[in-house]
Amino acid sequence: MIPISEEKINRIEDFVSHMTDEQVKEWLKEFKKKQYNLAHYFEFAYTVFANGEAGDVAKRSFIFIIKCFETYNVPIPLVNVDELKRWGKEWQKVTDRIATEELYGYKLLHVGEDINQLPITKHLFNKFIIDRSLESLFTGDRLGAFLSVLMLYVWGINGKIQKVVGTRIG
C-alpha cells in the first residue's frame, strides 16, 4: 500500500488545527456513530489528561489520524472490541521485535517504516518528540506513552485499510 503523502498529511494537519472546538466535538460524535469501539477506546486515551489543553491536542491527533486514512477513499472497516484487545497485545510484540538500543521513539519510526507509513510516523514523531513545544502539556512520561498510543492506532488502522485497498494508491 502506498503511504499517505506528506502533502496530504500537512494539509490535514492544517485543517484539523483550524477546526473549532465545536467542530471537534461534533466530528468525534459523528465518528463514534460509525466506529463506536475505536472512538470509545481512544476517548479513554484522551480523558486521562488532567490538562484540558493536552486533551484537546489528543482529540485533534485522533481526528488527524482518521482523516489521513480516509484519504484512501474507503471506509475504515469496523473495528470490534476483540480486535482492539488483540491490537494491544500484538502492539507490545511488534515493538519488542525491533532491536534497537535507541530511544523507544525510534522503535516507533521502525514500525512506521515496516508498515510503509513512514511519512505519518515522522510527522507524529516530529510533532510530539522533536518539536518539544507540546512537552509542557504532558506530565512525566505521558507524551511518549501518548505517541505510542497514536502509533498503535496508525499500525492497527493501516492493517484494516490495507486489507481493503491492497496496493492501490493513497
Side-chain angles (χ1 to χ4, degrees):
M1 186 164 78
I2 304 295
I4 301 161
S5 72
E6 286 183 44
E7 178 187 333
K8 288 178 183 177
I9 289 167
N10 292 332
R11 191 171 10 113
I12 293 166
E13 178 71 38
D14 183 61
F15 174 81
V16 173
S17 72
H18 287 93
M19 291 174 76
T20 66
D21 292 344
E22 189 57 38
Q23 287 172 320
V24 167
K25 184 178 174 181
E26 187 61 29
W27 189 95
L28 291 168
K29 183 176 137 187
E30 289 302 311
F31 184 76
K32 196 170 188 176
K33 290 177 185 176
K34 296 184 281 185
Q35 285 278 359
Y36 177 82
N37 298 314
L38 193 57
H40 181 70
Y41 267 61
F42 200 81
E43 200 171 65
F44 175 76
Y46 65 72
T47 57
V48 299
F49 300 115
N51 178 334
E53 207 174 336
D56 183 61
V57 167
K59 290 174 191 175
R60 290 171 188 274
S61 297
F62 178 65
I63 294 170
F64 166 79
I65 289 170
I66 298 303
K67 290 192 98 28
C68 281
F69 281 102
E70 286 176 346
T71 65
Y72 286 105
N73 296 317
V74 295
I76 298 169
L78 187 63
V79 180
N80 65 44
V81 173
D82 290 338
E83 283 178 291
L84 286 167
K85 289 177 182 176
R86 192 170 52 252
W87 286 5
K89 291 175 185 172
E90 289 178 21
W91 180 245
Q92 187 64 47
K93 293 175 187 172
V94 166
T95 56
D96 285 350
R97 278 194 299 263
I98 299 167
T100 180
E101 297 298 318
E102 303 191 43
L103 298 173
Y104 182 77
Y106 289 103
K107 282 188 173 200
L108 300 179
L109 288 171
H110 286 286
V111 170
E113 188 173 39
D114 289 349
I115 64 171
N116 201 28
Q117 290 295 353
L118 199 51
I120 192 172
T121 305
K122 282 183 175 179
H123 180 86
L124 293 170
F125 187 78
N126 287 334
K127 181 175 181 174
F128 290 102
I129 303 299
I130 302 298
D131 183 350
R132 303 184 82 82
S133 64
L134 297 173
E135 195 172 51
S136 63
L137 299 178
F138 298 85
T139 58
D141 61 352
R142 292 215 173 172
L143 185 59
F146 179 63
L147 177 58
S148 183
V149 168
L150 292 176
M151 281 304 300
L152 169 119
Y153 282 94
V154 168
W155 171 80
I157 294 168
N158 185 73
K160 295 287 283 186
I161 293 286
Q162 191 167 20
K163 289 176 184 172
V164 176
V165 302
T167 57
R168 291 192 322 209
I169 295 177

